[in-house]
Amino acid sequence: MINVLFDLRTWAVFDVDSAGRILAGHDESGSLQLVELAPDGSRTQLTALPSRCTGRYVPGSRPRQVIVQHDAGGNELMQLSMITVEAGRPPYTLDELTPLVADGRYMHVLQDVTETSLIYSTNRRNTVDMDVVVRDLGTGEEKVLYDQGGYVGATTVSHDQASVAVTALSLQPASTTVFLAGERSGPVTDADEHAAHHDVAWAADDDSLIISSNHDREFTAVLRVWLDGTTWEELVAADDHDLAVSVSPDASAMVVGHQIDGVYRLAVHDGDGTFRAEVGLPEDGVPSVVWAPDSSRFALLVSAPSDPGSIHSVDARTGEVTTVIDGREQLPVGLALVTPTVHRVPTPDGEQIPCFVYRPAEEAEPDLAGASVLHIHGGPEGQATRMFNPIVQALAGAGLTVIVPNVRGSSGYGKRWVSLDDVDRRLDSVADLAALHAWLPDIGLDPHRSSLWGGSYGGDMVLAGVTMQPDLWAAGVDIVGMSSLVTFLENTSAYRRAYREREYGRLDADRDFLIKASPITYLDQLRAPLFVIHGANDPRVPLSEAEQITAALAERGIRHELKVYADEGHGLAKRVNRKDAYPAAISFLTEVLARP
């Protein structure tokens, strides 16, 4: 069963053209490649590259042209190329792409595409700061729109194509700032405000922006802000949960997602916030929305616990859903996927940790009855959601109860919760692991046979748990995690350092605390077996983080295994590597956790 789960194919949705064709991503070949879906669901594979890629249509192009964003072996140094969609043509290989922006030393991140221009962000000026550049697709001429420093997250072009709204990370934890570049320029939001602004779109008349934001509020709402930043208008809001928004190209409509305990309930609204229609889906899950150019429809990818990912076409006027790809059709008969239950776990300081519990679909073997694993998300400002996760399903299928928490510092539960682990409160989130462990007997689990699994920041939490709480955890699986916050910040890519220092603390000002919060500081307490997975090309968490923890384990004679993949970066993007690593890690855990 475990191998079956890692053989399931997944989808992504990137764009929709004027004829209703969907530019999608599909990993049939082993990594995510571009596929075009006709309105009737028929498929044409467009790329066959050695690593995963994404793309966007060039609007109005005849024949159809696609901008392709691709890297090498997961190194995240994105390059931008073009392909032409031709009937009957075999998928494009790497050598057959037409390069547009190519320099393998730097990142070039696709941000937006118009009929005449490509907008991208790049760190090629100094390897650290992200500049915003517009490239004329006809002449190749480039113009720098913004080069004042910082990490650019997203850009969107105004309807008159004279300006770009830029969303960048601010130096406040869990915060962003929005400003304008081009004909209109200047700040829209206060860069010093502790607030997150996302999903930025231009209003119909280009005099304001529509965004999801927690400006002056606890929970993210859909707001309209005028370009000088002085006037804010509430369009759609809720008192007890966060909202997300996707605005149509002409700003006449928007899809609003109500985020409630790890799933989204969707509705269509007019551009002024007036409710239009609910969007009814077969199962609550996590959606990704891409609008058609004429704003009449949108494509919707939905992942849910029992759905690896289905693609739907939705009428923007009525909310009527037409399924284009049913991701559940590939599920073998007899494969039992688990739907979690939702819980709140009390902590000693009076907080409540949201979490999801996945019980084995079938009664576990006697030697694994009561055994469990905490699956910890990355971020740290990320969140665990109720979407399809083959690892979680495989762990439950192996007979383990899986607890998936949103410890303090997670997004999706308001501004206060996401801020509770900033800098010198970092170890409070580690303390949440102990609270979750203390809760295990309440749901019938054996606290002596519980383990940790996590990737990236979740991997750091795994290492923190097994070193700082050695009496609690029987084993750990660390995937691309940091073992030392000091060496991580010293060795991570330059463009990421300032971004991460705002969350963890600065090397020059907070070194003592960074040492205190690093798992490797407590290595002498570690005695739990550890399984470590890492990509050799990881630009975020260098391989040295895995090597130094496993070297220390070897020196102390503690059971461990290190798997390094030469063609991967920050995580495992290729099916062949996932099928090699994850079943081995699950087998490692079940061996350790089984009753003798």
Side-chain angles (χ1 to χ4, degrees):
M1 174 204 167
I2 289 176
N3 282 327
V4 169
L5 284 163
F6 295 117
D7 267 330
L8 294 176
R9 276 45 174 171
T10 58
W11 288 92
V13 172
F14 302 125
D15 210 348
V16 180
D17 77 356
S18 57
R21 288 176 287 249
I22 297 172
L23 183 64
H26 193 219
D27 67 351
E28 175 72 32
S29 64
S31 65
L32 200 68
Q33 299 298 312
L34 294 180
V35 175
E36 187 173 68
L37 299 176
D40 64 2
S42 59
R43 314 172 187 180
T44 302
Q45 184 173 339
L46 302 181
T47 62
L49 307 185
S51 294
R52 61 186 170 187
C53 59
T54 62
R56 292 280 302 276
Y57 284 119
V58 178
S61 56
R62 296 290 184 275
R64 295 190 304 286
Q65 294 178 313
V66 173
I67 307 295
V68 182
Q69 175 179 274
H70 53 99
D71 72 353
N75 65 6
E76 299 185 14
L77 298 176
M78 304 301 183
Q79 310 298 303
L80 302 176
S81 302
M82 183 180 286
I83 62 173
T84 299
V85 180
E86 302 175 49
R89 190 197 189 286
Y92 282 83
T93 64
L94 185 62
D95 293 338
E96 294 171 329
L97 303 179
T98 300
L100 293 178
V101 184
D103 187 332
R105 297 172 296 175
Y106 307 111
M107 299 175 64
H108 314 93
V109 181
L110 174 59
Q111 295 289 357
D112 210 346
V113 186
T114 71
E115 293 185 358
T116 59
S117 302
L118 161 67
I119 297 89
Y120 67 95
S121 55
T122 176
N123 66 344
R124 69 187 176 203
R125 176 168 54 87
N126 61 10
T127 75
V128 178
D129 297 303
M130 302 295 286
D131 300 341
V132 179
V133 180
V134 58
R135 179 185 180 90
D136 188 294
L137 289 172
T139 67
E141 180 182 350
E142 293 194 341
K143 179 181 179 181
V144 177
L145 295 182
Y146 172 78
D147 63 356
Q148 298 304 301
Y151 189 98
V152 171
T155 71
T156 184
V157 180
S158 59
H159 295 100
D160 63 12
Q161 298 191 18
S163 306
V164 172
V166 180
T167 306
L169 301 176
S170 78
L171 293 180
Q172 299 296 322
S175 298
T176 60
T177 185
V178 179
F179 53 87
L180 306 179
E183 187 175 292
R184 310 170 188 85
S185 61
V188 177
T189 66
D190 181 355
D192 294 325
E193 181 187 13
H194 183 197
H197 318 288
H198 297 292
D199 309 322
V200 177
W202 291 82
D205 50 13
D206 284 344
D207 66 347
S208 55
L209 302 175
I210 299 172
I211 63 178
S212 62
S213 172
N214 57 14
H215 166 74
D216 279 349
R217 62 186 60 229
E218 171 66 15
F219 292 101
T220 300
V222 181
L223 307 176
R224 183 176 182 180
V225 55
W226 268 251
L227 299 184
D228 61 5
T230 59
T231 304
W232 295 73
E233 177 188 358
E234 180 182 290
L235 301 180
V236 188
D239 294 332
D240 59 354
H241 60 266
D242 287 335
L243 305 184
V245 67
S246 178
V247 179
S248 68
D250 65 3
S252 66
M254 54 189 180
V255 180
V256 177
H258 293 256
Q259 184 177 352
I260 302 170
D261 271 327
V263 296
Y264 289 79
R265 280 66 184 267
L266 301 182
V268 185
H269 292 250
D270 291 338
D272 64 1
T274 303
F275 174 81
R276 276 193 192 177
E278 299 283 352
V279 179
L281 295 170
E283 181 179 358
D284 287 336
V286 179
S288 175
V289 176
V290 179
W291 280 90
D294 65 0
S295 301
S296 66
R297 307 187 68 82
F298 54 91
L300 190 62
L301 172 72
V302 180
S303 173
S306 61
D307 184 349
S310 294
I311 298 176
H312 310 278
S313 178
V314 183
D315 187 306
R317 176 54 54 185
T318 65
E320 181 183 359
V321 177
T322 302
T323 299
V324 179
I325 297 289
D326 189 339
R328 298 167 298 182
E329 289 180 349
Q330 64 178 311
L331 300 177
V333 175
L335 177 63
L337 297 180
V338 182
T339 298
T341 52
V342 179
H343 303 263
R344 292 291 189 274
V345 178
T347 69
D349 61 352
E351 299 291 349
Q352 296 278 326
I353 307 167
C355 78
F356 315 123
V357 176
Y358 293 75
R359 297 274 190 177
E362 301 175 359
E363 188 173 345
E365 295 294 327
D367 60 345
L368 285 176
S372 63
V373 55
L374 268 67
H375 187 282
I376 309 160
H377 69 72
E381 298 161 351
Q383 62 172 305
T385 57
R386 286 185 277 164
M387 63 186 299
F388 178 75
N389 186 323
I391 294 173
V392 169
Q393 295 289 344
L395 288 164
L400 301 174
T401 296
V402 188
I403 296 96
V404 183
N406 278 302
V407 297
R408 67 189 77 195
S410 303
S411 59
Y413 295 87
K415 183 185 292 186
R416 188 188 75 88
W417 189 251
V418 78
S419 303
L420 286 180
D421 71 338
D422 293 344
V423 191
D424 59 358
R425 291 182 288 186
R426 171 69 39 210
L427 295 179
D428 292 350
S429 62
V430 180
D432 282 349
L433 299 181
L436 288 157
H437 185 273
W439 178 70
L440 296 177
D442 291 0
I443 56 172
L445 298 175
D446 183 349
H448 301 293
R449 293 187 301 126
S450 188
S451 58
L452 299 170
W453 180 303
S456 191
Y457 177 70
D460 173 80
M461 288 284 280
V462 168
L463 297 176
V466 296
T467 56
M468 299 179 194
Q469 302 162 350
D471 295 331
L472 303 187
W473 308 107
V477 176
D478 159 36
I479 304 170
V480 298
M482 305 93 77
S483 54
S484 165
L485 294 180
V486 173
T487 57
F488 160 66
L489 290 171
E490 288 174 339
N491 297 322
T492 192
S493 297
Y495 69 90
R496 294 186 59 81
R497 187 168 299 112
Y499 165 41
R500 280 314 181 195
E501 283 188 323
R502 69 178 192 158
E503 172 74 20
Y504 297 125
R506 296 181 55 84
L507 284 167
D508 57 0
D510 304 300
R511 182 175 288 265
D512 288 346
F513 178 75
L514 291 170
I515 293 171
K516 179 181 178 182
S518 293
I520 205 163
T521 301
Y522 307 90
L523 196 61
D524 60 331
Q525 300 181 165
L526 174 61
R527 53 179 177 268
L530 199 61
F531 196 102
V532 182
I533 300 168
H534 219 99
N537 305 319
D538 193 337
R540 305 188 189 191
V541 179
L543 175 59
S544 55
E545 291 298 302
E547 291 173 332
Q548 66 187 5
I549 196 76
T550 53
L553 288 166
E555 185 177 332
R556 299 187 62 224
I558 295 173
R559 179 181 176 183
H560 67 282
E561 186 167 344
L562 171 63
K563 280 186 173 287
V564 178
Y565 295 90
D567 55 351
E568 296 282 12
H570 194 63
L572 303 184
K574 297 183 177 180
R575 182 181 299 111
V576 64
N577 296 332
R578 295 195 297 266
K579 289 181 68 176
D580 180 71
Y582 298 149
I586 292 169
S587 178
F588 181 91
L589 281 189
T590 56
E591 240 182 79
V592 173
L593 298 178
R595 286 195 181 98

